[in-house]
Amino acid sequence: QVQLVESGGGLVQAGGSLRLSCVASGSIFRINTMGWYRQAPGKQRELVAAITSGGSTNYADSVKGRFTISRDNAKNTVYLQMNSLKPEDTAVYYCNSPTGRPPSYWSWGQGTQVTVSS
């Protein structure tokens, strides 16, 4: 069973930056698409950004131009660089690997809290 550990969240003022990291156990990491998700209070979890094993990326419209997803397969780690943060980015951020349609996921980690103050 793959385990996911997210880190790097915190409290930041609007306009600031954070870099999130997610380490995944298991050797299958390098062949999987990885995604960053977020869930704000009272809202459903949403996909923020994804990166394929080959490095292709896609982003939610709300974060395009501000967030950058990357991965280091040698370290089983996926990153999310978040710039120009806005209060509406406040949420718990998770990583996971969507597989199939409808997607199935590994067990969710604990996530990392990002709070953006205005």
Side-chain angles (χ1 to χ4, degrees):
Q1 179 74 356
V2 176
Q3 291 186 322
L4 301 165
V5 180
E6 300 94 346
S7 62
L11 173 64
V12 64
Q13 289 188 331
S17 299
L18 285 172
R19 188 193 195 205
L20 307 183
S21 299
C22 169
V23 179
S25 64
S27 60
I28 62 173
F29 173 88
R30 68 183 186 282
I31 65 173
N32 279 49
T33 292
M34 294 298 299
W36 278 100
Y37 300 77
R38 67 185 180 188
Q39 187 167 21
K43 295 187 177 181
Q44 288 190 334
R45 190 171 295 172
E46 63 174 347
L47 177 65
V48 173
I51 184 167
T52 67
S53 58
S56 297
T57 59
N58 64 75
Y59 298 91
D61 288 343
S62 58
V63 306
K64 279 181 181 176
R66 300 188 298 122
F67 291 10
T68 302
I69 188 171
S70 61
R71 66 192 295 163
D72 184 337
N73 289 338
K75 296 182 179 179
N76 277 13
T77 302
V78 61
Y79 304 98
L80 187 68
Q81 178 67 44
M82 306 187 295
N83 298 328
S84 302
L85 283 161
K86 304 175 181 180
E88 50 264 44
D89 295 319
T90 295
V92 179
Y93 283 71
Y94 305 86
C95 69
N96 214 310
S97 178
T99 303
R101 292 189 181 187
S104 61
Y105 299 95
W106 297 329
S107 295
W108 294 91
Q110 83 288 350
T112 187
Q113 175 72 48
V114 172
T115 303
V116 184
S117 62
S118 57

